[in-house]
């Protein structure tokens, strides 16, 4: 008897310890089964308490009265599917007549407490069907990306969403993006994740890092062009604009429209071209964008205008030529001078890390999702890397990228170094790599690159 009691205490203590120190393992071992049982047992009463039930229909009441049976209880939405996942549960509900998706969304916080889950979100799948996603623990505290992700050309996983789903950066759906955040908020780590995720793909990476190249130059082996100061950046962007014009010439040459060419085969962007003719897509990563827009002298002002004009042209026309912009900075507003708000309007994807004031958050979301502004200000300082991202539906989500160290990103870039395409237009900016380093030298020194 005492032995079995001791064993029980040991199991409970081990479960408690696991839950505290390794919530993901706890979820996969014990948490998921307990949660399924809890949801199924409590479902009807919780739905009733949360006001998510409808009274029985009139004919049921009449039938009960006629047969002298007890009055039927109110109906909760029918469970179509209950699917356990790596991080939580996904519940698919069929709404009863008279209910709407907003009723469920408004009750998410109550459901979270009632089912003892960490987070609950809901979204409408189709009319009458709502998906409720629950997480069993704080998935953003220690981000672990699933082993299996749905990667496609120009669509890469970069972060985990707070509902446990993977956040993808899909360049063909959202060609250009802006990432804002205060200093030390995690922008460069986010960008590093992007580079590491894009490295195995057929894509040319172009980097502009005016912080003397400290973030992007260690990754130089996978880059086709790099710039670490404003002068080189201006020339590089001009070269990219002329590369874009060349790509348009290729598309034009392929566009011989005659009556016998089927509609679907008329090329309007690089993805319509046959694979052997398709120019390699280019992702342009800019870190600390404000550095490109600041000036002190008349000369520098001319250079600044040249840079902003080239960026605006790339944002305006780049998509069809397969040129995608990924811009990072602490602020990106009208105080940086003319042309900035126009450029910002063309950057569809918006991500905001922790910001210090409302006006910085407004630069990312003010014009698209006002409630995301509040969420961006509320990101705590002790959670670097947590960000708010606008999604394609007009909504927003809290995300966090995995903490990829510079060492890991360097290793990934070195492994795929031979995939870095040679673009003739960008050849002068190709990082020159030094002779192989001595074995005991630190990695970052091994690839001093000059643009
Ligand atoms: N996703 C993350 N998970 C855990 N820690 C992170 C994450 N992202 C960033 N950090 C931590 O925050 C620190 C600052 O990150 P990062 O250099 O990306 O900030 P930043 O926004 O680029 O700052 P700055 O504007 O000064 O360049 C990193 O050294 C890292 O320790
Ligand atoms: Mg940075």
């Amino acid at each position: 008897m005492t032995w079995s009691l001791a064993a029980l205490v040991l199991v409970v203590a081990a479960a408690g310890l696991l839950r505290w120190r390794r919530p993901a393992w706890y979820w996969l071992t014990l948490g998921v089964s307990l949660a399924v049982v809890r949801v199924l047992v409590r479902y009807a009463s919780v739905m009733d308490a949360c006001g998510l039930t409808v009274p029985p229909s009139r004919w049921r009441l009449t039938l009960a009265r006629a047969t002298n049976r007890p009055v039927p209880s109110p109906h909760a939405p029918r469970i179509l599917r209950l699917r356990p996942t790596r991080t939580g549960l996904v519940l698919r509900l069929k709404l009863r007549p008279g209910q709407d998706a907003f009723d469920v969304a408004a009750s998410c916080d109550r459901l979270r407490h009632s089912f003892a889950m960490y987070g609950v979100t809901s979204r409408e799948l189709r009319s009458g069907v709502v998906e409720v996603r629950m997480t069993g623990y704080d998935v953003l505290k220690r981000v672990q990306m699933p082993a299996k992700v749905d990667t496609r050309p120009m669509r890469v996983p970069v972060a985990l969403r707070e509902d446990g789903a993977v956040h993808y950066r899909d360049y063909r759906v959202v060609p250009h993006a802006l990432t804002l955040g205060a200093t030390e908020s995690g922008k460069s780590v986010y960008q590093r994740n992007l580079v590491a995720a894009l490295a195995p793909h057929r894509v040319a990476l172009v980097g502009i890092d005016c912080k003397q190249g400290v973030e992007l130059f260690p990754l130089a082996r996978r880059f086709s062009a790099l710039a670490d100061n404003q002068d080189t950046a201006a020339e590089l962007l001009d070269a990219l604009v002329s590369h874009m014009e060349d790509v348009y010439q290729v598309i034009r040459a392929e566009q011989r429209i005659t009556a016998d060419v089927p509609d679907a085969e008329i090329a309007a962007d690089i993805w319509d071209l046959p694979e052997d003719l398709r120019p390699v897509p280019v992702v342009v990563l800019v870190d600390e964008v404000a550095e490109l827009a600041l000036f002190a002298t008349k000369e520098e002002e001319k250079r600044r205008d040249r840079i902003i004009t080239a960026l605006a042209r790339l944002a305006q026309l780049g998509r069809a030529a397969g040129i995608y912009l990924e811009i990072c900075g602490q602020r990106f507003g009208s105080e940086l001078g003319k042309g900035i708000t126009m450029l910002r309007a063309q950057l569809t994807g918006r991500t905001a890390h922790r910001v210090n004031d409302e006006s910085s958050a407004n630069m990312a979301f003010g014009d698209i999702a006002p409630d995301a502004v509040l969420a961006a200000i509320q990101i705590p300082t002790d959670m670097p890397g947590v960000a708010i991202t606008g999604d394609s539906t007009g909504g927003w989500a809290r995300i966090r990228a995995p903490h990829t160290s510079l060492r890991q990103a360097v290793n990934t870039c070195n492994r795929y170094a031979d995939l870095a395409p040679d673009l003739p237009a960008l050849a002068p900016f190709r990082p020159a790599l030094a002779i192989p380093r001595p074995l005991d030298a630190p990695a970052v020194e091994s690839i001093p690159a000059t643009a």
Side-chain angles (χ1 to χ4, degrees):
M1 186 64 194
T2 39
W3 279 112
S4 54
L5 193 69
L8 186 71
V9 169
L10 204 68
V11 168
V12 171
L17 190 70
L18 199 63
R19 186 173 190 182
W20 177 43
R21 302 300 302 168
R22 287 280 181 271
W25 295 359
Y26 170 78
W27 176 258
L28 290 176
T29 48
L30 273 175
V32 64
S33 356
L34 290 179
V36 168
V37 172
R38 196 163 47 227
V39 168
L40 291 178
V41 170
R42 290 190 196 165
Y43 183 74
S45 61
V46 166
M47 288 294 168
D48 198 17
C50 292
L52 289 174
T53 49
V54 292
S57 58
R58 208 172 286 176
W59 71 267
R60 276 176 175 276
L61 283 175
T62 317
L63 197 70
R65 222 169 283 144
T67 53
N68 220 3
R69 293 244 180 94
V71 179
S73 51
H75 288 302
R78 189 152 53 86
I79 298 180
L80 294 180
R81 198 164 79 171
L82 174 62
R83 182 165 57 90
T85 66
R86 209 173 55 92
T87 53
L89 299 176
V90 180
L91 202 60
R92 194 171 282 187
L93 302 177
K94 174 93 183 94
L95 297 180
R96 301 282 176 185
Q99 294 185 316
D100 69 9
F102 180 75
D103 292 336
V104 183
S107 299
C108 278
D109 205 39
R110 274 168 275 170
L111 293 176
R112 183 170 83 85
H113 293 297
S114 312
F115 290 133
M117 300 298 278
Y118 182 83
V120 174
T121 53
S122 76
R123 70 188 176 115
E124 182 181 322
L125 286 187
R126 53 179 189 272
S127 102
V129 179
V130 172
E131 185 180 82
V132 179
R133 293 185 76 96
M134 309 190 200
T135 44
Y137 59 98
D138 184 1
V139 294
L140 299 189
K141 198 165 177 190
R142 203 161 168 272
V143 176
Q144 283 170 313
M145 298 294 275
K148 253 184 147 181
V149 285
D150 179 19
T151 310
R152 296 179 214 153
M154 299 316 291
R155 180 180 192 261
V156 289
V158 277
L160 205 61
R161 295 163 75 112
E162 96 187 298
D163 64 3
V166 177
H167 176 67
Y168 292 92
R169 176 78 181 87
D170 190 338
Y171 287 92
R172 290 185 62 185
V173 176
V174 178
H176 312 300
L178 174 65
T179 306
L180 292 181
T183 183
E184 281 281 291
S185 60
K187 302 177 298 293
S188 303
V189 172
Y190 176 84
Q191 204 170 49
R192 194 185 294 162
N193 268 297
L194 260 180
V195 173
L198 284 170
H201 289 254
R202 181 183 175 264
V203 58
L205 299 175
V206 172
I208 298 176
D209 179 2
C210 288
K211 211 170 165 185
Q212 299 291 314
V214 291
E215 296 290 353
L216 296 181
F217 273 60
L219 313 173
R221 284 182 191 276
R222 180 60 185 82
F223 273 77
S224 300
L226 276 171
D228 66 351
N229 59 59
Q230 287 87 339
D231 289 320
T232 324
E235 284 161 27
L236 173 53
L237 288 169
D238 284 346
L240 267 171
V241 171
S242 70
H243 169 74
M244 176 175 78
E245 280 154 12
D246 293 346
V247 173
Y248 276 121
Q249 289 308 319
V250 174
I251 299 174
R252 279 290 301 274
E254 271 304 293
Q255 261 183 345
R256 293 174 307 251
I257 300 174
T258 54
D260 58 338
V261 176
D263 283 356
E265 284 175 24
I266 298 175
D269 66 25
I270 62 162
W271 303 103
D272 296 331
L273 295 176
E275 207 152 317
D276 52 326
L277 283 181
R278 188 179 305 151
V280 62
V282 181
V283 173
V284 185
L285 300 129
V286 184
D287 203 357
E288 300 300 354
V289 66
E291 283 296 313
L292 297 179
L294 295 175
F295 59 90
T297 61
K298 271 256 167 304
E299 269 307 292
E300 287 179 7
E301 184 179 3
K302 263 194 213 139
R303 182 187 64 197
R304 175 233 177 251
D305 287 348
R306 200 173 130 206
I307 290 175
I308 300 300
T309 311
L311 276 175
R313 292 191 67 197
L314 290 173
Q316 215 153 251
L317 308 170
R319 186 212 43 94
I323 298 180
Y324 307 108
L325 296 182
E326 192 69 55
I327 294 183
C328 277
Q330 302 189 7
R331 284 174 72 85
F332 199 54
S334 51
E335 77 269 18
L336 290 178
K338 68 175 193 296
I340 296 293
T341 42
M342 179 186 127
L343 175 56
R344 195 179 65 196
Q346 286 153 351
L347 307 174
T348 322
R350 302 289 175 89
T351 304
H353 288 73
R354 177 179 54 78
V355 287
N356 293 328
D357 56 357
E358 197 181 323
S359 75
S360 304
N362 269 326
M363 288 169 194
F365 297 117
D367 41 356
I368 48 174
D371 47 343
V373 172
L374 202 66
I377 301 167
Q378 286 170 350
I379 297 173
T381 29
D382 58 350
M383 293 278 273
V386 172
I388 306 295
T389 184
D391 66 20
S392 50
T393 59
W396 55 272
R398 196 171 282 109
I399 59 166
R400 193 179 198 188
H403 189 198
T404 306
S405 66
L406 192 55
R407 176 77 258 181
Q408 288 166 320
V410 168
N411 286 349
T412 310
C413 286
N414 290 353
R415 190 174 332 136
Y416 296 106
D418 53 330
L419 289 184
D422 259 322
L423 298 180
L426 306 183
F429 308 96
R430 179 123 199 184
L433 301 168
I435 330 107
R437 64 184 163 120
L439 275 177
D440 52 347
V444 180
E445 276 177 19
S446 74
I447 34 176
T450 48

